[in-house]
PDB file of all heavy atoms in Angstrom:
ATOM      1  N   GLU L1089     -51.442-113.534  40.955  1.00  0.00           N
ATOM      2  CA  GLU L1089     -52.302-112.728  41.829  1.00  0.00           C
ATOM      3  C   GLU L1089     -53.741-112.727  41.297  1.00  0.00           C
ATOM      4  O   GLU L1089     -54.701-112.629  42.053  1.00  0.00           O
ATOM      5  CB  GLU L1089     -51.766-111.286  41.892  1.00  0.00           C
ATOM      6  CG  GLU L1089     -52.457-110.439  42.946  1.00  0.00           C
ATOM      7  CD  GLU L1089     -52.025-108.984  42.928  1.00  0.00           C
ATOM      8  OE1 GLU L1089     -50.894-108.687  42.492  1.00  0.00           O
ATOM      9  OE2 GLU L1089     -52.823-108.134  43.358  1.00  0.00           O
ATOM     10  N   TYR L1090     -53.856-112.875  39.987  1.00  0.00           N
ATOM     11  CA  TYR L1090     -55.162-112.924  39.311  1.00  0.00           C
ATOM     12  C   TYR L1090     -55.693-114.368  39.279  1.00  0.00           C
ATOM     13  O   TYR L1090     -56.659-114.662  38.610  1.00  0.00           O
ATOM     14  CB  TYR L1090     -54.968-112.383  37.892  1.00  0.00           C
ATOM     15  CG  TYR L1090     -56.217-111.912  37.173  1.00  0.00           C
ATOM     16  CD1 TYR L1090     -57.287-111.341  37.850  1.00  0.00           C
ATOM     17  CD2 TYR L1090     -56.295-112.010  35.786  1.00  0.00           C
ATOM     18  CE1 TYR L1090     -58.407-110.902  37.164  1.00  0.00           C
ATOM     19  CE2 TYR L1090     -57.414-111.569  35.091  1.00  0.00           C
ATOM     20  CZ  TYR L1090     -58.467-111.022  35.784  1.00  0.00           C
ATOM     21  OH  TYR L1090     -59.574-110.586  35.100  1.00  0.00           O
ATOM     22  N   ARG L1091     -54.976-115.260  40.001  1.00  0.00           N
ATOM     23  CA  ARG L1091     -55.333-116.684  40.138  1.00  0.00           C
ATOM     24  C   ARG L1091     -55.202-117.468  38.839  1.00  0.00           C
ATOM     25  O   ARG L1091     -55.950-118.422  38.599  1.00  0.00           O
ATOM     26  CB  ARG L1091     -56.751-116.835  40.719  1.00  0.00           C
ATOM     27  CG  ARG L1091     -56.903-116.182  42.079  1.00  0.00           C
ATOM     28  CD  ARG L1091     -58.315-116.291  42.648  1.00  0.00           C
ATOM     29  NE  ARG L1091     -58.427-115.444  43.834  1.00  0.00           N
ATOM     30  CZ  ARG L1091     -59.565-114.886  44.257  1.00  0.00           C
ATOM     31  NH1 ARG L1091     -60.694-115.104  43.597  1.00  0.00           N
ATOM     32  NH2 ARG L1091     -59.572-114.126  45.335  1.00  0.00           N
ATOM     33  N   ILE L1092     -54.264-117.065  37.997  1.00  0.00           N
ATOM     34  CA  ILE L1092     -54.024-117.802  36.753  1.00  0.00           C
ATOM     35  C   ILE L1092     -52.654-118.450  36.821  1.00  0.00           C
ATOM     36  O   ILE L1092     -51.646-117.771  36.987  1.00  0.00           O
ATOM     37  CB  ILE L1092     -54.101-116.875  35.515  1.00  0.00           C
ATOM     38  CG1 ILE L1092     -55.510-116.289  35.375  1.00  0.00           C
ATOM     39  CG2 ILE L1092     -53.711-117.642  34.249  1.00  0.00           C
ATOM     40  CD1 ILE L1092     -55.651-115.270  34.259  1.00  0.00           C
ATOM     41  N   LYS L1093     -52.648-119.774  36.694  1.00  0.00           N
ATOM     42  CA  LYS L1093     -51.383-120.517  36.673  1.00  0.00           C
ATOM     43  C   LYS L1093     -51.326-121.304  35.369  1.00  0.00           C
ATOM     44  O   LYS L1093     -52.225-122.087  35.068  1.00  0.00           O
ATOM     45  CB  LYS L1093     -51.318-121.462  37.874  1.00  0.00           C
ATOM     46  CG  LYS L1093     -49.945-122.105  38.049  1.00  0.00           C
ATOM     47  CD  LYS L1093     -49.891-122.915  39.334  1.00  0.00           C
ATOM     48  CE  LYS L1093     -48.507-123.375  39.711  1.00  0.00           C
ATOM     49  NZ  LYS L1093     -47.595-123.705  38.653  1.00  0.00           N
ATOM     50  N   TYR L1094     -50.290-121.063  34.609  1.00  0.00           N
ATOM     51  CA  TYR L1094     -50.138-121.729  33.310  1.00  0.00           C
ATOM     52  C   TYR L1094     -49.379-123.046  33.463  1.00  0.00           C
ATOM     53  O   TYR L1094     -48.511-123.178  34.323  1.00  0.00           O
ATOM     54  CB  TYR L1094     -49.378-120.824  32.330  1.00  0.00           C
ATOM     55  CG  TYR L1094     -50.195-119.654  31.837  1.00  0.00           C
ATOM     56  CD1 TYR L1094     -50.184-118.440  32.518  1.00  0.00           C
ATOM     57  CD2 TYR L1094     -50.994-119.761  30.704  1.00  0.00           C
ATOM     58  CE1 TYR L1094     -50.938-117.364  32.080  1.00  0.00           C
ATOM     59  CE2 TYR L1094     -51.744-118.690  30.254  1.00  0.00           C
ATOM     60  CZ  TYR L1094     -51.718-117.498  30.949  1.00  0.00           C
ATOM     61  OH  TYR L1094     -52.470-116.443  30.506  1.00  0.00           O
ATOM     62  N   ASP L1095     -49.707-123.991  32.590  1.00  0.00           N
ATOM     63  CA  ASP L1095     -48.945-125.250  32.531  1.00  0.00           C
ATOM     64  C   ASP L1095     -47.639-125.042  31.784  1.00  0.00           C
ATOM     65  O   ASP L1095     -46.670-125.748  32.022  1.00  0.00           O
ATOM     66  CB  ASP L1095     -49.779-126.332  31.818  1.00  0.00           C
ATOM     67  CG  ASP L1095     -51.065-126.626  32.569  1.00  0.00           C
ATOM     68  OD1 ASP L1095     -50.978-127.166  33.674  1.00  0.00           O
ATOM     69  OD2 ASP L1095     -52.146-126.287  32.061  1.00  0.00           O
ATOM     70  N   ASN L1096     -47.641-124.056  30.863  1.00  0.00           N
ATOM     71  CA  ASN L1096     -46.452-123.872  30.037  1.00  0.00           C
ATOM     72  C   ASN L1096     -46.322-122.423  29.578  1.00  0.00           C
ATOM     73  O   ASN L1096     -47.305-121.786  29.235  1.00  0.00           O
ATOM     74  CB  ASN L1096     -46.535-124.799  28.810  1.00  0.00           C
ATOM     75  CG  ASN L1096     -45.220-124.885  28.062  1.00  0.00           C
ATOM     76  OD1 ASN L1096     -44.150-124.780  28.661  1.00  0.00           O
ATOM     77  ND2 ASN L1096     -45.277-125.056  26.763  1.00  0.00           N
ATOM     78  N   TRP L1097     -45.086-121.936  29.620  1.00  0.00           N
ATOM     79  CA  TRP L1097     -44.745-120.630  29.029  1.00  0.00           C
ATOM     80  C   TRP L1097     -43.883-120.943  27.820  1.00  0.00           C
ATOM     81  O   TRP L1097     -42.734-121.371  27.964  1.00  0.00           O
ATOM     82  CB  TRP L1097     -44.008-119.756  30.048  1.00  0.00           C
ATOM     83  CG  TRP L1097     -44.910-119.271  31.138  1.00  0.00           C
ATOM     84  CD1 TRP L1097     -45.494-120.015  32.122  1.00  0.00           C
ATOM     85  CD2 TRP L1097     -45.360-117.929  31.350  1.00  0.00           C
ATOM     86  NE1 TRP L1097     -46.283-119.224  32.925  1.00  0.00           N
ATOM     87  CE2 TRP L1097     -46.215-117.937  32.481  1.00  0.00           C
ATOM     88  CE3 TRP L1097     -45.117-116.717  30.701  1.00  0.00           C
ATOM     89  CZ2 TRP L1097     -46.834-116.779  32.972  1.00  0.00           C
ATOM     90  CZ3 TRP L1097     -45.724-115.563  31.190  1.00  0.00           C
ATOM     91  CH2 TRP L1097     -46.577-115.601  32.309  1.00  0.00           C
ATOM     92  N   PHE L1098     -44.442-120.768  26.640  1.00  0.00           N
ATOM     93  CA  PHE L1098     -43.773-121.169  25.394  1.00  0.00           C
ATOM     94  C   PHE L1098     -43.107-119.946  24.765  1.00  0.00           C
ATOM     95  O   PHE L1098     -43.777-118.965  24.455  1.00  0.00           O
ATOM     96  CB  PHE L1098     -44.799-121.765  24.426  1.00  0.00           C
ATOM     97  CG  PHE L1098     -44.191-122.404  23.204  1.00  0.00           C
ATOM     98  CD1 PHE L1098     -44.097-123.780  23.098  1.00  0.00           C
ATOM     99  CD2 PHE L1098     -43.712-121.625  22.149  1.00  0.00           C
ATOM    100  CE1 PHE L1098     -43.535-124.376  21.970  1.00  0.00           C
ATOM    101  CE2 PHE L1098     -43.145-122.199  21.021  1.00  0.00           C
ATOM    102  CZ  PHE L1098     -43.057-123.581  20.931  1.00  0.00           C
ATOM    103  N   LYS L1099     -41.803-120.005  24.572  1.00  0.00           N
ATOM    104  CA  LYS L1099     -41.074-118.858  24.024  1.00  0.00           C
ATOM    105  C   LYS L1099     -40.977-118.937  22.502  1.00  0.00           C
ATOM    106  O   LYS L1099     -40.564-119.960  21.948  1.00  0.00           O
ATOM    107  CB  LYS L1099     -39.669-118.798  24.629  1.00  0.00           C
ATOM    108  CG  LYS L1099     -39.672-118.437  26.101  1.00  0.00           C
ATOM    109  CD  LYS L1099     -38.267-118.249  26.622  1.00  0.00           C
ATOM    110  CE  LYS L1099     -38.294-117.735  28.053  1.00  0.00           C
ATOM    111  NZ  LYS L1099     -36.938-117.589  28.608  1.00  0.00           N
ATOM    112  N   GLU L1100     -41.340-117.832  21.862  1.00  0.00           N
ATOM    113  CA  GLU L1100     -41.247-117.746  20.399  1.00  0.00           C
ATOM    114  C   GLU L1100     -39.816-118.020  19.930  1.00  0.00           C
ATOM    115  O   GLU L1100     -39.595-118.642  18.893  1.00  0.00           O
ATOM    116  CB  GLU L1100     -41.688-116.357  19.928  1.00  0.00           C
ATOM    117  CG  GLU L1100     -41.620-116.176  18.414  1.00  0.00           C
ATOM    118  CD  GLU L1100     -41.863-114.735  17.963  1.00  0.00           C
ATOM    119  OE1 GLU L1100     -42.381-113.917  18.739  1.00  0.00           O
ATOM    120  OE2 GLU L1100     -41.500-114.437  16.799  1.00  0.00           O
ATOM    121  N   SER L1101     -38.835-117.568  20.713  1.00  0.00           N
ATOM    122  CA  SER L1101     -37.422-117.720  20.319  1.00  0.00           C
ATOM    123  C   SER L1101     -37.038-119.180  20.078  1.00  0.00           C
ATOM    124  O   SER L1101     -36.171-119.469  19.250  1.00  0.00           O
ATOM    125  CB  SER L1101     -36.502-117.114  21.383  1.00  0.00           C
ATOM    126  OG  SER L1101     -36.751-117.713  22.645  1.00  0.00           O
ATOM    127  N   THR L1102     -37.719-120.118  20.773  1.00  0.00           N
ATOM    128  CA  THR L1102     -37.378-121.541  20.571  1.00  0.00           C
ATOM    129  C   THR L1102     -37.684-121.977  19.141  1.00  0.00           C
ATOM    130  O   THR L1102     -36.986-122.833  18.585  1.00  0.00           O
ATOM    131  CB  THR L1102     -38.145-122.456  21.560  1.00  0.00           C
ATOM    132  OG1 THR L1102     -39.552-122.296  21.362  1.00  0.00           O
ATOM    133  CG2 THR L1102     -37.802-122.143  23.005  1.00  0.00           C
ATOM    134  N   LEU L1103     -38.689-121.363  18.528  1.00  0.00           N
ATOM    135  CA  LEU L1103     -39.060-121.725  17.153  1.00  0.00           C
ATOM    136  C   LEU L1103     -37.996-121.263  16.157  1.00  0.00           C
ATOM    137  O   LEU L1103     -37.813-121.870  15.107  1.00  0.00           O
ATOM    138  CB  LEU L1103     -40.417-121.107  16.785  1.00  0.00           C
ATOM    139  CG  LEU L1103     -41.616-121.575  17.612  1.00  0.00           C
ATOM    140  CD1 LEU L1103     -42.817-120.664  17.386  1.00  0.00           C
ATOM    141  CD2 LEU L1103     -41.985-123.022  17.272  1.00  0.00           C
ATOM    142  N   HIS L1104     -37.325-120.162  16.494  1.00  0.00           N
ATOM    143  CA  HIS L1104     -36.234-119.674  15.644  1.00  0.00           C
ATOM    144  C   HIS L1104     -34.977-120.519  15.882  1.00  0.00           C
ATOM    145  O   HIS L1104     -34.286-120.899  14.937  1.00  0.00           O
ATOM    146  CB  HIS L1104     -35.941-118.195  15.952  1.00  0.00           C
ATOM    147  CG  HIS L1104     -37.082-117.284  15.615  1.00  0.00           C
ATOM    148  ND1 HIS L1104     -37.239-116.700  14.373  1.00  0.00           N
ATOM    149  CD2 HIS L1104     -38.141-116.866  16.362  1.00  0.00           C
ATOM    150  CE1 HIS L1104     -38.339-115.951  14.374  1.00  0.00           C
ATOM    151  NE2 HIS L1104     -38.895-116.038  15.577  1.00  0.00           N
ATOM    152  N   GLU L1105     -34.732-120.820  17.165  1.00  0.00           N
ATOM    153  CA  GLU L1105     -33.518-121.559  17.517  1.00  0.00           C
ATOM    154  C   GLU L1105     -33.528-122.996  17.001  1.00  0.00           C
ATOM    155  O   GLU L1105     -32.495-123.515  16.578  1.00  0.00           O
ATOM    156  CB  GLU L1105     -33.332-121.555  19.046  1.00  0.00           C
ATOM    157  CG  GLU L1105     -32.907-120.191  19.586  1.00  0.00           C
ATOM    158  CD  GLU L1105     -33.214-120.022  21.067  1.00  0.00           C
ATOM    159  OE1 GLU L1105     -33.555-121.035  21.728  1.00  0.00           O
ATOM    160  OE2 GLU L1105     -33.108-118.887  21.572  1.00  0.00           O
ATOM    161  N   ASN L1106     -34.697-123.647  17.046  1.00  0.00           N
ATOM    162  CA  ASN L1106     -34.734-125.057  16.609  1.00  0.00           C
ATOM    163  C   ASN L1106     -35.042-125.224  15.119  1.00  0.00           C
ATOM    164  O   ASN L1106     -35.217-126.336  14.624  1.00  0.00           O
ATOM    165  CB  ASN L1106     -35.718-125.881  17.466  1.00  0.00           C
ATOM    166  CG  ASN L1106     -37.175-125.476  17.266  1.00  0.00           C
ATOM    167  OD1 ASN L1106     -37.528-124.832  16.279  1.00  0.00           O
ATOM    168  ND2 ASN L1106     -38.027-125.856  18.209  1.00  0.00           N
ATOM    169  N   GLY L1107     -35.114-124.087  14.392  1.00  0.00           N
ATOM    170  CA  GLY L1107     -35.295-124.143  12.938  1.00  0.00           C
ATOM    171  C   GLY L1107     -36.722-124.346  12.475  1.00  0.00           C
ATOM    172  O   GLY L1107     -36.977-124.493  11.273  1.00  0.00           O
ATOM    173  N   ALA L1108     -37.689-124.319  13.430  1.00  0.00           N
ATOM    174  CA  ALA L1108     -39.094-124.573  13.057  1.00  0.00           C
ATOM    175  C   ALA L1108     -39.636-123.503  12.119  1.00  0.00           C
ATOM    176  O   ALA L1108     -40.454-123.791  11.237  1.00  0.00           O
ATOM    177  CB  ALA L1108     -39.966-124.646  14.316  1.00  0.00           C
ATOM    178  N   VAL L1109     -39.175-122.251  12.283  1.00  0.00           N
ATOM    179  CA  VAL L1109     -39.661-121.149  11.434  1.00  0.00           C
ATOM    180  C   VAL L1109     -39.238-121.374   9.983  1.00  0.00           C
ATOM    181  O   VAL L1109     -40.058-121.294   9.061  1.00  0.00           O
ATOM    182  CB  VAL L1109     -39.152-119.785  11.964  1.00  0.00           C
ATOM    183  CG1 VAL L1109     -39.496-118.663  10.995  1.00  0.00           C
ATOM    184  CG2 VAL L1109     -39.747-119.493  13.339  1.00  0.00           C
ATOM    185  N   GLY L1110     -37.971-121.682   9.775  1.00  0.00           N
ATOM    186  CA  GLY L1110     -37.485-121.954   8.409  1.00  0.00           C
ATOM    187  C   GLY L1110     -38.114-123.205   7.821  1.00  0.00           C
ATOM    188  O   GLY L1110     -38.460-123.251   6.636  1.00  0.00           O
ATOM    189  N   ARG L1111     -38.317-124.215   8.688  1.00  0.00           N
ATOM    190  CA  ARG L1111     -38.861-125.497   8.228  1.00  0.00           C
ATOM    191  C   ARG L1111     -40.285-125.356   7.703  1.00  0.00           C
ATOM    192  O   ARG L1111     -40.667-125.980   6.726  1.00  0.00           O
ATOM    193  CB  ARG L1111     -38.833-126.526   9.369  1.00  0.00           C
ATOM    194  CG  ARG L1111     -37.856-127.654   9.104  1.00  0.00           C
ATOM    195  CD  ARG L1111     -37.955-128.837  10.043  1.00  0.00           C
ATOM    196  NE  ARG L1111     -38.446-128.579  11.370  1.00  0.00           N
ATOM    197  CZ  ARG L1111     -37.678-128.226  12.403  1.00  0.00           C
ATOM    198  NH1 ARG L1111     -36.383-128.029  12.232  1.00  0.00           N
ATOM    199  NH2 ARG L1111     -38.209-128.053  13.594  1.00  0.00           N
ATOM    200  N   VAL L1112     -41.085-124.502   8.385  1.00  0.00           N
ATOM    201  CA  VAL L1112     -42.483-124.371   7.983  1.00  0.00           C
ATOM    202  C   VAL L1112     -42.587-123.709   6.604  1.00  0.00           C
ATOM    203  O   VAL L1112     -43.461-124.053   5.793  1.00  0.00           O
ATOM    204  CB  VAL L1112     -43.310-123.630   9.073  1.00  0.00           C
ATOM    205  CG1 VAL L1112     -43.263-122.127   8.931  1.00  0.00           C
ATOM    206  CG2 VAL L1112     -44.749-124.090   9.087  1.00  0.00           C
ATOM    207  N   VAL L1113     -41.670-122.781   6.293  1.00  0.00           N
ATOM    208  CA  VAL L1113     -41.650-122.155   4.962  1.00  0.00           C
ATOM    209  C   VAL L1113     -41.284-123.209   3.916  1.00  0.00           C
ATOM    210  O   VAL L1113     -41.921-123.288   2.846  1.00  0.00           O
ATOM    211  CB  VAL L1113     -40.653-120.970   4.926  1.00  0.00           C
ATOM    212  CG1 VAL L1113     -40.547-120.403   3.505  1.00  0.00           C
ATOM    213  CG2 VAL L1113     -41.092-119.866   5.896  1.00  0.00           C
ATOM    214  N   GLU L1114     -40.274-124.034   4.211  1.00  0.00           N
ATOM    215  CA  GLU L1114     -39.866-125.099   3.277  1.00  0.00           C
ATOM    216  C   GLU L1114     -41.002-126.088   3.048  1.00  0.00           C
ATOM    217  O   GLU L1114     -41.230-126.537   1.915  1.00  0.00           O
ATOM    218  CB  GLU L1114     -38.617-125.830   3.804  1.00  0.00           C
ATOM    219  CG  GLU L1114     -37.340-124.994   3.790  1.00  0.00           C
ATOM    220  CD  GLU L1114     -37.090-124.317   2.444  1.00  0.00           C
ATOM    221  OE1 GLU L1114     -37.135-125.028   1.406  1.00  0.00           O
ATOM    222  OE2 GLU L1114     -36.878-123.079   2.416  1.00  0.00           O
ATOM    223  N   LEU L1115     -41.730-126.416   4.121  1.00  0.00           N
ATOM    224  CA  LEU L1115     -42.867-127.343   3.998  1.00  0.00           C
ATOM    225  C   LEU L1115     -43.938-126.773   3.077  1.00  0.00           C
ATOM    226  O   LEU L1115     -44.498-127.485   2.232  1.00  0.00           O
ATOM    227  CB  LEU L1115     -43.484-127.609   5.374  1.00  0.00           C
ATOM    228  CG  LEU L1115     -42.990-128.833   6.149  1.00  0.00           C
ATOM    229  CD1 LEU L1115     -43.578-128.828   7.560  1.00  0.00           C
ATOM    230  CD2 LEU L1115     -43.397-130.134   5.447  1.00  0.00           C
ATOM    231  N   LEU L1116     -44.234-125.477   3.247  1.00  0.00           N
ATOM    232  CA  LEU L1116     -45.240-124.829   2.395  1.00  0.00           C
ATOM    233  C   LEU L1116     -44.786-124.801   0.933  1.00  0.00           C
ATOM    234  O   LEU L1116     -45.598-124.986   0.020  1.00  0.00           O
ATOM    235  CB  LEU L1116     -45.521-123.401   2.900  1.00  0.00           C
ATOM    236  CG  LEU L1116     -46.337-123.303   4.196  1.00  0.00           C
ATOM    237  CD1 LEU L1116     -46.300-121.891   4.765  1.00  0.00           C
ATOM    238  CD2 LEU L1116     -47.793-123.739   3.967  1.00  0.00           C
ATOM    239  N   LYS L1117     -43.477-124.618   0.724  1.00  0.00           N
ATOM    240  CA  LYS L1117     -42.944-124.666  -0.649  1.00  0.00           C
ATOM    241  C   LYS L1117     -43.118-126.059  -1.239  1.00  0.00           C
ATOM    242  O   LYS L1117     -43.554-126.221  -2.396  1.00  0.00           O
ATOM    243  CB  LYS L1117     -41.460-124.276  -0.643  1.00  0.00           C
ATOM    244  CG  LYS L1117     -41.206-122.774  -0.478  1.00  0.00           C
ATOM    245  CD  LYS L1117     -39.711-122.471  -0.496  1.00  0.00           C
ATOM    246  CE  LYS L1117     -39.452-120.977  -0.371  1.00  0.00           C
ATOM    247  NZ  LYS L1117     -38.015-120.655  -0.290  1.00  0.00           N
TER     248      LYS L1117
END
Side-chain angles (χ1 to χ4, degrees):
E1089 189 185 334
Y1090 200 32
R1091 301 178 190 152
I1092 297 175
K1093 189 174 191 326
Y1094 287 90
D1095 298 293
N1096 192 31
W1097 289 69
F1098 189 103
K1099 291 186 174 178
E1100 180 188 343
S1101 57
T1102 60
L1103 297 166
H1104 295 271
E1105 288 159 11
N1106 67 18
V1109 173
R1111 247 191 332 272
V1112 86
V1113 175
E1114 291 310 309
L1115 266 173
L1116 287 168
K1117 284 181 178 176

